[in-house]
Amino acid sequence: QVQLVEAGGGLVQAGGSLRLSCAASARTFSFYNMGWFRQAPGKERDFVARISGSGRSTDYADSVKGRFTISRDNAKKMVYLQMNSLRPEDTAVYYCAAASSGWDIIPRMYDYWGQGTQVTVSS
């Protein structure tokens, strides 16, 4: 069982930055590929970014490429999402997720989820 706890959300003006963090309880954290997803009201949960267990591979949704950066610290069992140049359309609840196998952008392929953290970007 893996528990994930996100933090760092909040209200920010367009063009601003936020850094989300996700603390994991997994015994062998580096075993898991990690992802960030987001869900706006009335919309499906969408892929934002993912990072391999080693941290050597990353991938981003086109909508956030060049603005967001995913990283991890396996010693601290943490995953981060640095979000720069935020836009009102980035407003959503952001979720951290862990996958015990596979390298996917589909939410159902992830085994564990955090409770989410709200990010609101004002125009």
Side-chain angles (χ1 to χ4, degrees), residues 6-101:
E6 301 97 334
L11 174 64
V12 63
Q13 287 189 330
S17 298
L18 281 174
R19 188 193 195 206
L20 304 183
S21 63
C22 173
S25 67
R27 182 177 297 180
T28 52
F29 179 61
S30 61
F31 175 76
Y32 296 91
N33 294 328
M34 300 296 295
W36 284 99
F37 293 79
R38 65 186 181 186
Q39 188 166 18
K43 295 189 176 182
E44 294 184 348
R45 191 169 297 189
D46 290 332
F47 165 75
V48 174
R50 56 182 170 169
I51 188 166
S52 62
S54 66
R56 285 192 287 267
S57 297
T58 59
D59 185 33
Y60 299 90
D62 288 342
S63 58
V64 307
K65 276 181 183 176
R67 300 188 298 124
F68 290 12
T69 302
I70 188 171
S71 61
R72 67 190 295 164
D73 184 332
N74 284 344
K76 295 182 178 179
K77 299 184 180 180
M78 297 288 294
V79 181
Y80 305 99
L81 186 68
Q82 178 66 44
M83 305 186 295
N84 299 329
S85 303
L86 282 161
R87 305 167 181 169
E89 54 263 40
D90 294 319
T91 295
V93 177
Y94 283 71
Y95 297 91
C96 173
S100 57
S101 63

